[in-house]
Coordinates of all heavy atoms in Angstrom, one line a residue:
K1017 N -27.2 -42.2 5.4 CA -27.0 -42.8 4.1 C -26.8 -44.3 4.1 O -27.1 -45.1 3.3 CB -25.8 -42.2 3.3 CG -25.8 -42.4 2.0 CD -24.5 -41.7 1.3 CE -24.9 -41.2 -0.2 NZ -23.8 -40.6 -0.7
K1018 N -26.2 -44.7 5.3 CA -25.9 -46.1 5.5 C -27.2 -46.9 5.8 O -27.3 -48.2 5.7 CB -25.0 -46.4 6.6 CG -23.6 -45.9 6.3 CD -22.6 -46.1 7.5 CE -21.2 -45.6 7.1 NZ -20.2 -45.8 8.2
L1019 N -28.3 -46.3 6.0 CA -29.6 -46.9 6.2 C -30.4 -47.1 4.9 O -31.4 -47.8 4.9 CB -30.5 -46.1 7.2 CG -30.0 -45.9 8.6 CD1 -31.0 -45.1 9.4 CD2 -29.7 -47.2 9.3
G1020 N -29.7 -46.5 3.9 CA -30.5 -46.8 2.5 C -30.9 -45.4 1.9 O -31.6 -44.7 2.7
Q1021 N -30.6 -45.1 0.7 CA -31.0 -43.9 0.0 C -32.6 -43.9 0.0 O -33.2 -45.0 -0.4 CB -30.5 -43.9 -1.4 CG -30.6 -42.5 -2.1 CD -29.8 -41.4 -1.4 OE1 -28.7 -41.8 -0.9 NE2 -30.3 -40.2 -1.5
G1022 N -33.2 -42.9 0.3 CA -34.7 -42.8 0.3 C -35.4 -43.4 1.4 O -36.6 -43.4 1.4
T1023 N -34.7 -44.0 2.4 CA -35.3 -44.6 3.5 C -36.0 -43.6 4.3 O -35.3 -42.6 4.8 CB -34.3 -45.4 4.3 OG1 -33.7 -46.4 3.5 CG2 -35.1 -46.1 5.5
L1024 N -37.2 -43.8 4.7 CA -37.9 -42.9 5.7 C -37.5 -43.2 7.1 O -37.3 -44.4 7.4 CB -39.4 -43.1 5.6 CG -40.0 -42.7 4.2 CD1 -41.6 -42.9 4.2 CD2 -39.8 -41.3 3.7
L1025 N -37.4 -42.2 7.9 CA -36.8 -42.4 9.3 C -37.7 -41.9 10.4 O -38.6 -41.1 10.1 CB -35.4 -41.6 9.3 CG -34.4 -41.8 8.3 CD1 -33.2 -40.9 8.4 CD2 -33.9 -43.3 8.4
A1026 N -37.5 -42.5 11.5 CA -38.2 -42.1 12.7 C -37.1 -41.4 13.7 O -36.0 -42.0 13.7 CB -38.9 -43.2 13.5
V1027 N -37.5 -40.4 14.4 CA -36.5 -39.7 15.2 C -37.2 -39.7 16.6 O -38.3 -39.1 16.7 CB -36.1 -38.3 14.9 CG1 -35.1 -37.7 15.8 CG2 -35.5 -38.3 13.3
R1028 N -36.6 -40.3 17.6 CA -37.3 -40.3 18.9 C -36.2 -40.1 20.1 O -35.0 -40.4 19.9 CB -37.7 -41.8 19.2 CG -38.6 -42.3 18.1 CD -39.1 -43.8 18.5 NE -39.7 -44.5 17.4 CZ -41.1 -44.5 17.2 NH1 -41.8 -43.9 18.0 NH2 -41.5 -45.1 16.2
S1029 N -36.6 -39.3 21.1 CA -35.7 -39.1 22.2 C -35.7 -40.2 23.1 O -36.6 -41.1 23.1 CB -36.3 -37.9 23.0 OG -36.4 -36.7 22.3
S1030 N -34.5 -40.4 23.7 CA -34.3 -41.5 24.6 C -33.6 -41.0 25.9 O -32.5 -40.3 25.8 CB -33.3 -42.6 23.9 OG -33.1 -43.6 24.8
F1031 N -34.1 -41.3 27.0 CA -33.6 -40.8 28.3 C -34.0 -41.8 29.3 O -35.0 -42.6 29.2 CB -34.0 -39.4 28.5 CG -35.5 -39.2 28.3 CD1 -36.5 -39.4 29.3 CD2 -36.0 -38.8 27.1 CE1 -37.8 -39.2 29.1 CE2 -37.3 -38.5 26.9 CZ -38.2 -38.8 27.9
N1032 N -33.5 -41.6 30.6 CA -33.8 -42.4 31.7 C -34.8 -41.5 32.6 O -34.5 -40.4 32.9 CB -32.6 -42.8 32.5 CG -31.7 -43.7 31.6 OD1 -32.2 -44.8 31.1 ND2 -30.4 -43.4 31.6
G1033 N -35.8 -42.2 33.0 CA -36.8 -41.4 33.9 C -37.6 -40.5 33.2 O -37.9 -40.6 32.0
T1034 N -37.9 -39.3 33.9 CA -38.7 -38.3 33.3 C -37.8 -37.1 32.9 O -37.0 -36.7 33.8 CB -39.8 -37.8 34.3 OG1 -40.6 -38.9 34.6 CG2 -40.6 -36.7 33.7
L1035 N -38.0 -36.6 31.8 CA -37.2 -35.4 31.3 C -38.1 -34.5 30.6 O -38.5 -34.7 29.5 CB -36.1 -36.0 30.3 CG -35.0 -35.0 29.9 CD1 -34.2 -34.6 31.2 CD2 -34.0 -35.6 28.9
L1036 N -38.4 -33.4 31.2 CA -39.2 -32.4 30.7 C -38.6 -31.6 29.5 O -37.4 -31.4 29.5 CB -39.6 -31.4 31.8 CG -40.3 -31.9 33.0 CD1 -40.6 -30.8 34.0 CD2 -41.7 -32.5 32.5
G1037 N -39.4 -31.3 28.6 CA -38.9 -30.5 27.4 C -38.3 -31.4 26.2 O -37.8 -30.8 25.3
A1038 N -38.3 -32.7 26.4 CA -37.7 -33.6 25.4 C -38.6 -33.5 24.1 O -39.8 -33.2 24.2 CB -37.7 -35.0 25.8
M1039 N -38.0 -33.7 22.9 CA -38.6 -33.5 21.7 C -39.7 -34.7 21.5 O -39.4 -35.9 21.9 CB -37.6 -33.6 20.5 CG -38.2 -33.2 19.2 SD -36.9 -33.4 17.9 CE -36.7 -35.2 17.9
E1040 N -40.7 -34.4 20.8 CA -41.7 -35.5 20.5 C -41.1 -36.3 19.4 O -40.2 -36.0 18.7 CB -43.0 -34.9 19.9 CG -43.7 -33.9 20.9 CD -44.9 -33.1 20.2 OE1 -45.2 -33.5 19.0 OE2 -45.3 -32.2 20.7
S1041 N -41.6 -37.6 19.3 CA -41.2 -38.4 18.2 C -41.7 -37.8 16.8 O -42.8 -37.4 16.8 CB -41.8 -39.8 18.4 OG -41.3 -40.5 19.6
I1042 N -40.8 -37.9 15.9 CA -41.2 -37.4 14.6 C -40.9 -38.6 13.6 O -39.9 -39.2 13.5 CB -40.2 -36.2 14.2 CG1 -40.5 -35.1 15.1 CG2 -40.7 -35.8 12.7 CD1 -39.6 -33.9 14.9
L1043 N -42.0 -38.9 12.8 CA -42.1 -40.1 12.0 C -42.0 -39.6 10.5 O -42.4 -38.6 10.1 CB -43.3 -41.0 12.3 CG -43.5 -41.4 13.7 CD1 -44.8 -42.2 13.8 CD2 -42.3 -42.2 14.3
N1044 N -41.6 -40.6 9.7 CA -41.6 -40.5 8.2 C -40.7 -39.3 7.7 O -41.1 -38.6 6.7 CB -43.0 -40.4 7.7 CG -43.8 -41.6 7.9 OD1 -43.3 -42.7 7.4 ND2 -44.9 -41.5 8.6
V1045 N -39.6 -39.1 8.4 CA -38.7 -38.0 8.0 C -38.1 -38.4 6.6 O -37.7 -39.5 6.4 CB -37.6 -37.8 9.0 CG1 -36.5 -36.8 8.5 CG2 -38.1 -37.4 10.4
G1046 N -38.2 -37.5 5.7 CA -37.8 -37.8 4.3 C -38.9 -37.7 3.3 O -38.7 -37.6 2.1
L1047 N -40.2 -37.6 3.8 CA -41.3 -37.4 2.9 C -41.3 -36.0 2.4 O -40.9 -35.1 3.1 CB -42.6 -37.6 3.6 CG -43.1 -39.0 4.0 CD1 -44.4 -39.1 4.7 CD2 -43.1 -39.9 2.6
N1048 N -41.6 -35.8 1.1 CA -41.8 -34.5 0.5 C -42.8 -34.5 -0.6 O -43.5 -35.5 -0.8 CB -40.4 -34.0 0.0 CG -39.7 -35.0 -1.0 OD1 -40.4 -35.7 -1.7 ND2 -38.5 -35.1 -0.9
D1049 N -42.9 -33.5 -1.4 CA -43.9 -33.4 -2.4 C -43.8 -34.5 -3.5 O -44.8 -34.9 -4.0 CB -43.9 -32.0 -3.1 CG -44.3 -30.9 -2.2 OD1 -44.8 -31.2 -1.1 OD2 -44.1 -29.7 -2.6
T1050 N -42.6 -35.0 -3.7 CA -42.4 -36.1 -4.8 C -42.2 -37.4 -4.1 O -42.3 -38.4 -4.9 CB -41.2 -35.8 -5.6 OG1 -40.0 -35.7 -4.7 CG2 -41.3 -34.5 -6.3

């Protein structure tokens, strides 16, 4: 909420080196039918 109401978000994993099984980046979280 501190980033702003209705703000679309990106979610990315962050780690050092190589880490198998980490989640893919997901963009535009918050989009919906309206």
Side-chain angles (χ1 to χ4, degrees):
K1017 199 175 210 180
K1018 291 182 179 180
L1019 300 182
Q1021 192 70 30
T1023 300
L1024 299 180
L1025 302 175
V1027 183
R1028 309 175 189 269
S1029 295
S1030 179
F1031 46 87
N1032 296 308
T1034 301
L1035 193 61
L1036 297 177
M1039 189 185 70
E1040 302 171 10
S1041 295
I1042 301 181
L1043 307 180
N1044 294 304
V1045 176
L1047 286 180
N1048 55 34
D1049 290 352
T1050 57

